Amino acid sequence: IEPGTLIRGTAGSSLVVDVDGKLVAEGTEAQPIVFTSAVKTSGSWGGLVFVGEAVANVGTGMAEGFPSMPPSYGGSDAAHDCGSLSYVRVEWAGFEVTPGNELNGITWYACGSATKAS
């Protein structure tokens, strides 16, 4: 994603990077990348979700924040690369899908040491 890009999520949406994907979002101080909502209200979209295959303290698990068929996460690839984030802002994100099952602004599941966030 190019510096200065604005991405708007819609109600009930989220951007999910599954185990076979990678998100490279590297903005600059002058041109951050902004993930926001089409409607500027708290909890109006889910945010970013990264699902990896690195070693997790629970072994493998099922990701929260999905109404049905959640992806599994965790594995044995300590360096699993989910991508990179720098000069990124996430706005108006995070909501409860069902009781005890929610999304946050940025949710990391078993992303490894090759993943970069600054």
Side-chain angles (χ1 to χ4, degrees):
I1 299 173
E2 297 294 321
T5 300
L6 177 67
I7 297 171
R8 290 184 179 97
T10 57
S13 71
S14 60
L15 193 152
V16 178
V17 180
D18 209 350
V19 296
D20 295 325
K22 186 185 324 186
L23 176 65
V24 177
E26 297 177 355
T28 66
E29 185 174 357
Q31 292 186 298
I33 296 167
V34 179
F35 294 89
T36 190
S37 173
V39 179
K40 307 260 188 227
T41 58
S42 181
S44 57
W45 77 293
L48 308 178
V49 181
F50 294 87
V51 183
E53 293 182 322
V55 177
N57 62 348
V58 296
T60 58
M62 304 303 283
E64 283 189 23
F66 296 82
S68 63
M69 297 179 54
S72 63
Y73 66 89
S76 60
D77 181 1
H80 183 91
D81 187 358
C82 292
S84 61
L85 301 179
S86 60
Y87 291 99
V88 166
R89 188 170 69 237
V90 178
E91 303 175 334
W92 308 106
F95 61 82
E96 186 175 58
V97 178
T98 58
N101 180 19
E102 66 275 340
L103 290 172
N104 300 294
I106 301 175
T107 305
W108 304 95
Y109 288 108
C111 292
S113 60
T115 303
K116 307 248 184 300
S118 59

